[in-house]
Amino acid sequence: MNFRKATISDLKEMQELYIETIKHVCKDDYNPVQIDVWISGVDNTERWIEVINTQFVLLAIIANKITGFGTLKDGNYIDFFYIHKEYQRQGIADKILTELELEAKKQHTKTITSDISITAKPFFEKKGFIVKAEQRNIRLGVELINYKMEKQL
């Protein structure tokens, strides 16, 4: 596995990974309507371009395929964190999180935060994140539950 920073040419593959991961990995924690609303975020192309241009976006690559990615916004907030549906539980998330935390430390960050899905919550708890609040977000009239979590670095 190699790591590299994302470029705009990675956008389509990142968006496909995002959609497929949510559809397949999160289906036990969110209903089909919630999943459809969640993946509709892929339609906001400007936001995706802004993420690539302004955040620390780290890709995990195996055999020239993006197998996961994580982003760090403003040196202290994990904005996106997705692992390909076919590469779950292979240590990719561990490695991406470690790299994001190293980048945060380089930026002299003491606390890292994120809004974590029900599905990802156990992983982040194992990595030392604590729940600060359960959040009930309404998007397109549909409630999506996630958790504001943080970790001291």
Side-chain angles (χ1 to χ4, degrees):
M1 178 176 11
N2 294 309
F3 291 104
R4 69 171 172 81
K5 290 187 182 176
T7 66
I8 204 69
S9 65
D10 298 308
L11 179 61
K12 187 175 186 298
E13 190 176 353
M14 288 172 65
Q15 289 176 314
E16 288 169 2
L17 184 153
Y18 171 86
I19 291 167
E20 292 302 309
T21 299
I22 295 167
K23 278 185 180 177
H24 296 276
V25 178
C26 303
K27 69 179 188 268
D28 292 337
D29 298 308
Y30 295 90
N31 68 44
V33 173
Q34 291 170 315
I35 286 175
D36 286 345
V37 167
W38 186 356
I39 65 174
S40 72
V42 81
D43 298 331
N44 187 348
T45 304
E46 292 89 29
R47 169 152 158 61
W48 282 81
I49 292 169
E50 180 184 344
V51 166
I52 290 172
N53 288 335
T54 64
Q55 296 186 25
F56 177 81
V57 182
L58 190 66
L59 306 177
I61 309 290
I62 297 174
N64 295 315
K65 180 177 188 172
I66 299 173
T67 57
F69 68 93
T71 76
L72 190 66
K73 179 179 181 179
D74 300 328
N76 65 1
Y77 178 76
I78 297 172
D79 193 3
F80 284 80
F81 196 91
Y82 293 90
I83 308 304
H84 193 287
K85 66 180 182 175
E86 294 170 11
Y87 290 86
Q88 297 282 311
R89 293 177 173 67
Q90 296 182 26
I92 296 167
D94 286 338
K95 290 181 172 82
I96 291 173
L97 183 58
T98 297
E99 293 296 321
L100 293 180
E101 288 178 358
L102 286 171
E103 179 63 24
K105 287 176 185 175
K106 281 185 204 169
Q107 297 187 36
H108 309 290
T109 296
K110 301 278 188 257
T111 305
I112 194 167
T113 65
S114 192
D115 296 303
I116 305 295
S117 69
I118 295 167
T119 310
K121 182 176 171 256
F123 168 80
F124 281 91
E125 286 175 326
K126 284 182 195 149
K127 298 300 169 188
F129 282 74
I130 58 167
V131 174
K132 300 307 278 185
E134 180 179 288
Q135 303 177 122
R136 296 178 178 274
N137 304 291
I138 305 299
R139 196 182 300 169
L140 303 176
V142 177
E143 183 179 79
L144 294 169
I145 294 172
N146 69 8
Y147 301 91
K148 174 65 74 182
M149 296 182 77
E150 74 175 30
K151 178 180 180 178
Q152 300 300 317
L153 295 179

